[in-house]
Amino acid sequence: MKVVLFGPPGVGKGTQAQLVAEKMAWNIMSMGDLLRAEIRAKSPLGEEAGDFLHRGVLVPDELILRVADDCIVENRGNGLIFDGFPRNLNQAIALAQALARQNEMVDRALGFSLPTEELVQRLTNRLYCSKCGELYNLHSRPPTQAGSCDACGGKLARRDDDREQVIRERLKVYDAETKPLIEYYTSLSVYHTVDASGTKEKVFERVMASLDVNHA
Ligand code: AMP
């Protein structure tokens, strides 16, 4: 099964992607994580993408599709969750074509929703562990010891693009470029909205219900 997760930044789709992947033994393609790994590795692709992430705008499709294509081919026949890809109509069409080449399609597209001020609140308070990736929120889920990860003791950091001005830009980009995917996937009869409010466990129940897969 191929599942697309999309929604504004801070809505928790990365967390849900991990929970679903664990439950279903599927793989995840997180475009943001792949890009940040390229930037850390200082690869040519990372050098090109870095400034776009820093400003909170979309990386050009040509680079994104290069990253996505390999992963799609590698996961032929596997369950795969697309987290943060596609992010505009052009990418959605390219994804449909890449999957069609291997006789597959997007089976479900889940669009997460949450009020804007809650998104901003979540993102401005978000910290991640630079060693294991665990997420914290200074407000709702603070670490036991300030600055270090409860799980592995790693140093906690703030994402470069989790600054209020950049967050507002990312939200604008979402509305202008990504939101039209709701209409696109509705027209393909694979779209479901997921209310992203409440605990991650509660949201996970809603996600599994929209996937409508047998997961007992
Ligand atoms: P995320 O980790 O999903 O919040 O993505 C962080 C940043 O990576 C975004 O603000 C964009 O700059 C870039 N990015 C991630 N996925 C895509 C995509 N599918 N298309 C273009 N840019 C992307």
Side-chain angles (χ1 to χ4, degrees):
M1 194 160 172
K2 300 291 190 267
V3 177
V4 165
L5 303 187
F6 69 97
V11 81
K13 57 190 184 314
T15 301
Q16 294 301 321
Q18 273 173 14
L19 293 174
V20 174
E22 224 168 88
K23 181 97 196 168
M24 303 300 296
W26 291 347
N27 290 330
I28 305 176
M29 186 187 99
S30 164
M31 187 53 79
D33 286 351
L34 289 171
L35 293 170
R36 283 184 288 275
E38 296 282 344
I39 292 168
R40 273 198 306 277
K42 295 192 164 50
S43 71
L45 199 146
E47 301 276 308
E48 270 190 79
D51 183 50
F52 296 99
L53 270 83
H54 185 71
R55 288 189 286 129
V57 297
L58 295 189
V59 174
D61 290 348
E62 181 254 323
L63 293 188
I64 294 294
L65 296 176
R66 238 193 285 159
V67 176
D69 268 349
D70 291 343
C71 185
I72 293 167
V73 173
E74 276 164 25
N75 281 285
R76 181 178 184 167
N78 295 336
L80 182 61
I81 303 163
F82 296 98
D83 167 17
F85 171 84
R87 245 174 160 107
N88 62 27
L89 214 47
N90 187 41
Q91 292 180 12
I93 291 166
L95 172 61
Q97 289 169 343
L99 289 174
R101 283 196 286 277
Q102 48 196 42
N103 294 319
E104 294 178 324
M105 58 182 276
V106 170
D107 299 286
R108 292 274 194 294
L110 308 189
F112 291 79
S113 74
L114 200 66
T116 304
E117 284 320 306
E118 193 167 337
L119 296 168
V120 174
Q121 190 278 336
R122 282 191 187 181
L123 291 167
T124 47
N125 287 295
R126 179 162 79 172
L127 294 175
Y128 73 96
C129 172
S130 49
K131 211 162 137 193
C132 73
E134 187 72 14
L135 289 174
Y136 294 87
N137 183 292
L138 289 172
H139 195 66
S140 57
R141 195 196 167 211
T144 312
Q145 212 187 337
S148 69
C149 178
D150 292 354
C152 76
K155 199 163 168 255
L156 299 187
R158 196 180 285 277
R159 251 173 67 170
D160 175 56
D161 56 355
D162 281 348
R163 290 168 284 133
E164 182 142 1
Q165 202 189 344
V166 183
I167 290 167
R168 300 270 175 202
E169 180 62 31
R170 288 158 64 205
L171 288 167
K172 258 198 259 167
V173 169
Y174 173 76
D175 276 342
E177 312 236 11
T178 312
K179 234 178 169 177
L181 294 184
I182 295 178
E183 211 174 304
Y184 172 75
Y185 284 119
T186 300
S187 76
L188 297 176
S189 307
V190 293
Y191 179 71
H192 294 256
T193 299
V194 176
D195 170 4
S197 62
T199 62
K200 64 179 179 185
E201 291 79 12
K202 194 75 216 157
V203 179
F204 181 54
E205 277 175 26
R206 296 182 196 127
V207 167
M208 292 309 289
S210 342
L211 287 179
D212 193 23
V213 283
N214 188 358
H215 60 93

